[in-house]
Amino acid sequence: MKNKESLYELLEGKYRFYQNPEFIETDPISVPHCFSLKEDIEISALLSATIAWGKRSMIIKNAQKMMQLMDYAPFDFIMNAVDKDLKPLLSFKHRTFQADDLLFFIEGLRFIYRQKGGLEVVFCEEEFDGSVSNSILRFRDSMFLVPHQQRTAKHISNPAKGSAAKRLNMFLRWMVRSNEGGVDFGLWKSIPPSALLCPLDVHSGRVARHFGLLLRKQDDWKAVEELTANLRVFDAEDPVKYDFSLFGMGVFEKAGLGKNV
């Protein structure tokens, strides 16, 4: 890790720079920001995060398309849609996430809200046990209680098999971190921000390695734990706030590619 004091100042400065409402427009988090009902925010956030790979403009476009197909009322749609309401969804596709996958998510979420008490309950159970990995696995297990095609399993990451689970960690950041900065929502009080793990993708991973925050070469669950442990040195209560710093420097400033930061 490079000079700790200067790195702290850099991470803090970039965090303050990138965590602002202007960031929302160019990020998939803009989709759940269209809603005010807790369940609508949760569902639109999960679906948007689930397809968050590829060009960001296309992610946002297709996430908004999902909301349009659900009449911009995702919770009501999931709870009450009948077969004729589902037919328009057969046209949906985002890269390898196809109509059958979207229909599965609708059925899985309906099961979770009707039988399990909702997304927050599934992720946290009666009391959060301190492990985000366990939370993700509980969500995964609950979803797959609904009949599904084998190919659909790849769209819900499995930390137990080493996946970095970038999209689910990003979703949890959105739900748990304070909305004080105007970007994340702070809807879920059952998980403390201190327990969150950093969403790791090619951009944040490249920047983290550039600054010595991550030594592991693979972008896997062990790398997520290593990176987050190093970020906790700078803020033990809210380590994942530095996702803004790493992602911002990686995407907008091309840090780690020989560019100046």
Side-chain angles (χ1 to χ4, degrees), residues 66-168:
M66 284 192 285
M67 298 305 104
Q68 178 187 350
L69 290 168
M70 289 186 272
D71 302 322
Y72 290 101
F75 180 59
D76 180 70
F77 187 91
I78 280 171
M79 298 302 285
N80 299 304
V82 295
D83 287 347
K84 68 179 180 63
D85 302 316
L86 298 174
K87 285 184 180 179
L89 276 63
L90 296 175
S91 64
F92 184 82
K93 182 176 181 180
H94 174 80
R95 297 173 73 98
T96 62
F97 188 87
Q98 299 178 359
D100 286 344
D101 302 313
L102 178 54
L103 292 172
F104 160 73
F105 267 77
I106 288 172
E107 289 299 320
L109 288 169
R110 179 180 294 174
F111 172 78
I112 282 174
Y113 279 99
R114 285 184 175 176
Q115 305 297 327
K116 298 284 187 174
L119 275 171
E120 183 176 5
V121 173
V122 165
F123 273 95
C124 306
E125 253 185 353
E126 292 183 4
E127 184 176 349
F128 179 61
D129 64 5
S131 170
V132 166
S133 174
N134 287 344
S135 295
I136 291 174
L137 292 174
R138 280 195 298 272
F139 165 70
R140 197 174 190 275
D141 290 344
S142 295
M143 287 289 285
F144 289 137
L145 290 174
V146 172
H148 59 280
Q149 298 181 33
Q150 186 174 356
R151 58 173 298 280
T152 299
K154 65 186 176 185
H155 293 298
I156 304 181
S157 300
N158 188 351
K161 291 190 175 181
S163 171
K166 174 249 181 177
R167 293 185 289 277
L168 285 170

Side-chain angles (χ1 to χ4, degrees), residues 2 5 23 25 44 62-63 74 94 110 120 127 142 161 163 169-170 173 192 194 201 210 224 227 238 247:
K2 297 190 177 182
E5 184 176 345
F23 175 87
E25 297 177 20
S44 61
N62 285 335
H94 174 80
R110 179 180 294 174
E120 183 176 5
E127 184 176 349
S142 295
K161 291 190 175 181
S163 171
N169 279 320
M170 182 175 71
R173 193 206 88 195
S194 59
D201 65 7
H210 176 72
V224 170
L227 172 58
D238 188 15
F247 184 79

Side-chain angles (χ1 to χ4, degrees), residues 35-86:
F35 301 98
S36 57
L37 181 70
K38 178 179 186 276
E39 291 82 3
D40 283 340
I41 294 171
E42 292 172 343
I43 292 166
S44 61
L46 179 68
L47 291 173
S48 299
T50 297
I51 65 166
W53 81 99
K55 290 185 178 181
R56 297 171 82 211
S57 59
M58 189 58 66
I59 295 167
I60 296 169
K61 178 182 177 181
N62 285 335
Q64 288 286 10
K65 178 66 174 178
M66 284 192 285
M67 298 305 104
Q68 178 187 350
L69 290 168
M70 289 186 272
D71 302 322
Y72 290 101
F75 180 59
D76 180 70
F77 187 91
I78 280 171
M79 298 302 285
N80 299 304
V82 295
D83 287 347
K84 68 179 180 63
D85 302 316
L86 298 174

Side-chain angles (χ1 to χ4, degrees), residues 1 4 11 193-199 208 212-215 221-240 242 246:
M1 193 184 298
K4 191 176 294 186
L11 290 172
S194 59
L196 294 175
L197 296 174
C198 193
L213 290 164
L214 178 59
L215 300 180
W221 191 257
K222 288 184 179 179
V224 170
E225 293 179 323
E226 178 190 340
L227 172 58
T228 307
N230 284 327
L231 294 176
R232 287 194 178 108
V233 171
F234 301 105
D235 192 332
E237 297 303 311
D238 188 15
V240 174
Y242 298 121
L246 300 176

